């Protein structure tokens, strides 16, 4: 009898190992990732040594490391990556650089000239606060939420995205802006002040109403009349055309509504996230490896550039969505597939690409900028997805 139980246990155990083997091997994926980020850190420290301004790595330009100043929308991703590496490895060696690159972003908490404070402050200070509980980080998050709230227009019910190109649009809102709402939800939790939460919900509801087509693909830009709240124009800036589905935009939408469901438990957001996932995952141009081309409608497909950053954001979003949806098992399986493909086929060669982890992202194809290159936010969401895969959601 005892032998029989032991045998059954042994079979169950080996089955678990078999199932696990199909999952993402986070420990294995982290070995080259850590080596690469060591290089990126070293290069970033050298590149910024004589600089009076804060600089963080963003991409490669003509094979050289390109760094950005604090107000660039991508400035918070590098410190966020350092926090994720600490989170994933528990190796204290990541703590000092994470703190250093985070702290230098502190002046941005007062920046009211960008909607990207969520990216800038929440990826850096937000992760730092989650992992260390440092109360000085808490106050930066709250101040940043106050600054971001200044861009909210109560008539239109949305936060203004861009201030540039005022000749092209009056009150532009881009789908990417969904990502910045996480900072506002957090600020309400930290302060008990519901005004941040209300702005986030208003923005999410208005975007849900105005940004999506019947097939649940998203426009990139919606321009509003700030006096009446009427939609003036729908189109794109970074996608192929006004009627196309720019891959990263769909990724932001998926991740954004999943996060809004986590924060509100409003089923409308869950349904929206599921519908967006369906658009992405059943799209005829989504390649077998599930790493999308930069725009789902590019007629050059399969010869168009890929966007590994969109894939990493989609994987991270799907892990979270898998914890909320009846389709959870499928979402998790797909997220695993994407992560495995990214780590097997899209990583930089050892020591190459100045230490960026992933190659093959596309930033702004219409501007002929950042095409098929490493980009810092691809690496950030890749590490976040690895961490979510390990956590189970
Ligand atoms: N937020 C700009 C981008 O996704 O490129």
């Amino acid at each position: 009898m005892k032998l029989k139980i032991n045998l059954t246990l042994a079979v169950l155990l080996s089955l678990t190992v078999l199932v696990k083997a199909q999952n993402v091997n986070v420990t294995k994926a982290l070995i080259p990732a850590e080596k690469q980020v060591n290089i990126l850190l070293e290069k970033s420290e050298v590149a910024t040594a004589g600089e009076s301004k804060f600089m963080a790595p963003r991409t490669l330009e003509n094979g050289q490391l390109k760094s950005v100043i604090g107000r660039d929308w991508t400035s918070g991703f590098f410190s966020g990556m350092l926090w994720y590496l600490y989170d994933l490895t528990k190796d204290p060696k990541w703590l000092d650089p994470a703190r250093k690159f985070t702290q230098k972003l502190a002046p941005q908490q007062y920046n009211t000239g960008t909607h990207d404070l969520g990216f800038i402050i929440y990826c850096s200070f937000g992760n730092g606060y989650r992992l260390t509980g440092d109360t000085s980080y808490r106050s930066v998050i709250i101040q940043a939420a106050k600054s971001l709230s200044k861009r909210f227009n109560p008539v239109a019910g949305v936060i203004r995205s861009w201030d540039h190109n005022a000749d092209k649009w009056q009150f532009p809102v881009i789908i990417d802006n969904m990502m910045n709402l996480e900072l506002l939800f957090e600020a309400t939790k930290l302060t008990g002040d519901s005004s941040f939460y209300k702005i986030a919900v208003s923005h999410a509801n208005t975007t849900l109403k105005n940004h999506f087509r019947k097939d649940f693909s998203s426009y990139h830009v919606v321009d509003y009349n700030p006096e009446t709240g009427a939609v003036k124009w729908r189109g794109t800036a970074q996608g192929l055309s006004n009627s196309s589905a720019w891959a990263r935009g769909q990724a932001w939408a998926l991740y954004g509504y999943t996060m809004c469901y986590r924060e509100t438990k409003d089923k409308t957001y869950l349904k929206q996230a599921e519908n967006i996932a369906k658009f992405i995952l059943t799209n005829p141009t989504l390649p077998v490896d599930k790493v999308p081309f930069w725009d789902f409608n590019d007629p050059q497909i399969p010869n168009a550039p890929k966007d590994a950053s969109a894939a990493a954001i989609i994987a991270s979003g799907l892990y979270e969505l898998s914890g909320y949806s009846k389709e959870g098992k499928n979402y998790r399986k797909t997220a695993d597939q994407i992560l495995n493909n990214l780590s097997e086929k899209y990583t930089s060669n050892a020591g190459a690409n100045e230490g960026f982890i992933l190659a093959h992202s596309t930033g702004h194809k219409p501007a002929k900028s950042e095409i098929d290159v490493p980009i810092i936010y691809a690496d950030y969401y890749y590490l976040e997805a690895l961490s979510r895969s390990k956590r189970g959601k």
Side-chain angles (χ1 to χ4, degrees):
M1 179 69 174
K2 208 170 167 192
L3 181 71
K4 210 171 162 192
I5 292 172
N6 280 345
L7 272 175
T8 318
L9 274 176
V11 170
L12 276 177
L13 208 69
S14 51
L15 269 181
T16 322
V17 172
L18 270 183
V19 171
K20 270 231 169 305
Q22 297 167 358
N23 290 349
V24 175
N25 188 333
V26 176
T27 313
K28 190 173 159 213
L30 274 175
I31 296 169
E34 276 202 276
K35 284 190 183 146
Q36 286 298 102
V37 181
N38 269 323
I39 298 170
L40 190 56
L41 179 59
E42 211 176 283
K43 301 258 178 190
S44 301
E45 276 171 342
V46 171
T48 62
E51 291 285 345
S52 52
K53 284 187 208 137
F54 165 77
M55 303 285 276
R58 171 169 170 146
T59 186
L60 289 189
E61 206 169 60
N62 306 320
Q64 300 291 308
L65 183 67
K66 185 181 171 195
S67 301
V68 291
I69 54 174
R71 68 166 186 271
D72 185 278
W73 80 274
T74 64
S75 65
F77 291 116
F78 185 54
S79 38
M81 283 170 60
L82 299 169
W83 287 120
Y84 266 120
L85 281 178
Y86 171 66
D87 194 8
L88 280 155
T89 63
K90 296 290 173 276
D91 187 337
K93 79 169 185 193
W94 295 113
L95 275 174
D96 266 358
R99 285 202 177 100
K100 194 177 104 189
F101 276 86
T102 295
Q103 199 52 45
K104 289 191 181 181
L105 283 169
Q108 294 306 315
Q109 67 188 294
Y110 302 105
N111 186 347
T112 55
T114 174
H115 72 132
D116 283 322
L117 276 193
F119 285 121
I120 296 171
I121 297 293
Y122 203 63
C123 297
S124 53
F125 286 91
N127 278 312
Y129 185 61
R130 174 174 67 80
L131 291 165
T132 66
D134 185 328
T135 50
S136 70
Y137 291 178
R138 183 180 177 278
S139 54
V140 173
I141 295 168
I142 296 166
Q143 177 54 49
K146 286 182 189 161
S147 300
L148 179 57
S149 299
K150 295 219 162 77
R151 301 182 67 81
F152 180 66
N153 176 319
V155 179
V158 274
I159 298 163
R160 182 186 182 116
S161 293
W162 296 325
D163 294 342
H164 59 75
N165 291 94
D167 54 322
K168 274 196 193 159
W169 32 61
Q170 217 182 343
F171 196 94
V173 177
I174 60 172
I175 190 64
D176 325 28
N177 205 345
M178 287 299 299
M179 301 294 285
N180 294 306
L181 305 183
E182 197 168 9
L183 171 75
L184 299 177
F185 285 122
E186 178 69 11
T188 286
K189 284 189 271 182
L190 294 177
T191 59
D193 176 353
S194 63
S195 63
F196 306 115
Y197 181 101
K198 285 181 185 150
I199 290 174
V201 166
S202 168
H203 186 96
N205 289 344
T206 312
T207 299
L208 195 145
K209 194 170 80 189
N210 294 327
H211 248 89
F212 290 88
R213 306 183 183 99
K214 280 206 174 71
D215 62 1
F216 295 97
S217 67
S218 169
Y219 289 95
H220 181 208
V221 190
V222 174
D223 190 22
Y224 290 88
N225 177 328
E227 271 94 49
T228 65
V231 170
K232 293 180 64 188
W233 179 81
R234 292 178 173 93
T236 199
Q238 277 165 264
L240 177 86
S241 74
N242 291 338
S243 56
S244 75
W246 173 52
R248 201 162 51 257
Q250 316 313 306
W252 294 139
L254 169 71
Y255 189 119
Y257 280 98
T258 304
M259 177 272 295
C260 284
Y261 176 69
R262 180 219 306 150
E263 297 298 335
T264 63
K265 294 294 167 237
D266 182 338
K267 288 255 161 52
T268 319
Y269 300 149
L270 176 60
K271 193 77 216 133
Q272 186 73 2
E274 289 171 336
N275 283 327
I276 299 164
K278 190 169 172 198
F279 173 82
I280 295 172
L281 301 178
T282 63
N283 196 290
T285 70
L286 185 71
V288 179
D289 69 5
K290 297 193 167 58
V291 175
F293 293 96
W294 75 285
D295 190 298
F296 283 100
N297 299 101
D298 188 342
Q300 299 295 321
I301 289 173
N303 298 317
K306 291 274 194 106
D307 185 9
S309 79
I313 298 158
I314 290 167
S316 190
L318 286 177
Y319 278 124
E320 174 157 35
L321 189 56
S322 74
Y324 309 139
S325 168
K326 288 195 196 89
E327 289 293 315
K329 262 197 183 143
N330 283 339
Y331 293 150
R332 193 175 169 83
K333 206 174 117 201
T334 307
D336 284 349
Q337 272 178 330
I338 296 175
L339 266 197
N340 280 329
N341 287 330
L342 286 177
S343 58
E344 280 159 25
K345 294 191 296 189
Y346 290 80
T347 41
S348 304
N349 290 333
N353 284 344
E354 301 290 273
F356 284 95
I357 305 171
L358 296 180
H360 308 303
S361 290
T362 297
H364 194 337
K365 184 151 183 304
K368 298 187 173 45
S369 159
E370 300 178 337
I371 301 170
D372 195 15
V373 287
I375 309 185
I376 197 74
Y377 43 87
D379 289 6
Y380 174 87
Y381 288 101
Y382 174 71
L383 291 179
E384 183 183 81
L386 283 176
S387 136
R388 288 180 171 187
S389 137
K390 197 174 164 186
R391 275 209 316 259
K393 61 176 180 166

